[in-house]
Amino acid sequence: MVKRYKVLVGGEWVGEDRPGIEVINPYDGSVVGVVPEATANDVDRAIESARKGFAEMAALPACRRAEILARVSDFIVRDREEIAEIIAREAGKSWKYALSEADRSAETFRFASFEACNAHGELVPMDASPVSVGRFGYHIRTPIGVIGAITPFNFPLNLVAHKVAPAIAAGNALVLKPATKTPLSSIKLASLLAEAGLPAGALNIVIGSGKTVGNRLVEDERLAMITFTGSPPVGGEIKARSGLKRVTLELGSNSPTIIEEDGDVDAAVSRCVVGSFANSDQVCISVQRIYVHHRRYQEFLGKFVTSTRLLKVGDPMDRECDIGPMISRVELERAVSWLEEAKGLGANIEAGGQVIGNCLEPTILSGVTPDMKVVCSEVFAPIVSVLPYDTFEQALDMADDSVYGLQAGVYTRDINKAFQAIKRLDVGGVIINDIPTFRVDHMPYGGNKQSGLGREGVKYAMEEMTNIKMVCINL
């Protein structure tokens, strides 16, 4: 019998009387579980519960919030294999990457535990102005209120952790809308938070469509903030609908990697194989465009193709699997259509390109042009393009020629070129001698241009999730 799940609202597990949404294993089409579909009344109840929960969270001492977050980190480590199985089955993520996501999520909560006790304001030198001599000033950070968190399918636990953990660390309450395709990781996390002693109402889960659930969260004036990870079109709609709420948006990208003539080609090949194809390339900062100096182009391409052909495609529960399925048949067919379009416009398939069940083989393209969808749009599939260039200036121009600006990777041994790239590229992060897919969970993370607004990374997300309150005392 397929398991029916409940969701956490106001400290209670509810939803058994709601119509259900089937959670489908994208590899074999089996039903992993059934979750309750939220109604408008359910969303309203979740928001009211969060308002009550916020009052308790805001009064909770930092040390207590830190204890809760540390316990959750420990619980994730304790249950890491169970969590990895949930991720692999609902998201189709290969076991080894699902296990890595569980470990990263534990680290995210550990960082949040530290930051809960480390958040502070600063003194303001009032006597810098003649009119405020004799006054003492400082500012503190206060929790913003109820936060609506909307998360995607591709990292169903750690991207949720990046919203939930800093919100709790800062003393806020949340209404969480996880992706309908991958809600089970969020339900598991909610159970761990409840076990850790999170106050009732501090976290509330509602599952449903953007129209029924997402829009109500975005438009409801009781929420102080929306934090969203997803596509640029949806992000733009959220910004337009959100009124005076604070909004952080982590959107898309078509991340470039530059391999200069003096770069370490072997290191670049090894990392690009991971960055281009892990999680079937359904990663915002996956490697999509690789620009290689023309003198190293054939060397890189040959080694890259050879290494890519060694990847194992198949069942994500297979411990040896490297590439699992796309999240849905619709997305698989969309990726194949983009691939066919590129072939029709003159691109060459150097490796992969075949559909195996619900999986797309890791695919390397050459002979592409900047106007092809596989280059200029976010492909979000295991398809990567390799292009030659003549000068480093040209490579920077090509890398920056995008509506996106999340992260970029640059391989070079020349420190001057490294700093030239850092200064020149309009992105949220420049990763020298590594791929743009590199991210650790305490660094500031976010994009420019159509890649988003605001920054994640626990400390920096907490800054987004708090208000500055100025205190001025006339002595």
Side-chain angles (χ1 to χ4, degrees), residues 116-165:
C117 293
N118 198 45
H120 57 80
E122 63 182 36
L123 292 174
V124 179
M126 301 305 294
D127 59 356
S129 170
V131 300
S132 57
V133 171
R135 285 172 166 80
F136 177 76
Y138 64 96
H139 72 72
I140 58 175
R141 286 193 170 270
T142 60
I144 196 170
V146 176
I147 297 173
I150 304 173
T151 59
F153 72 85
N154 56 330
F155 285 86
L157 185 65
N158 199 37
L159 289 183
V160 172
H162 268 285
K163 300 182 187 306
V164 172

Side-chain angles (χ1 to χ4, degrees), residues 60 87 226 241 246 296 351 422 438:
L60 205 63
I87 294 170
I226 296 292
R241 287 175 172 267
R246 189 170 301 173
R296 308 298 297 277
I422 291 166
F438 176 80

Side-chain angles (χ1 to χ4, degrees), residues 146-190:
V146 176
I147 297 173
I150 304 173
T151 59
F153 72 85
N154 56 330
F155 285 86
L157 185 65
N158 199 37
L159 289 183
V160 172
H162 268 285
K163 300 182 187 306
V164 172
I168 292 170
N172 296 295
L174 300 101
V175 180
L176 169 65
K177 178 197 174 307
T180 55
K181 295 184 185 306
T182 56
L184 303 184
S185 298
S186 292
I187 293 173
K188 172 62 178 179
L189 178 60

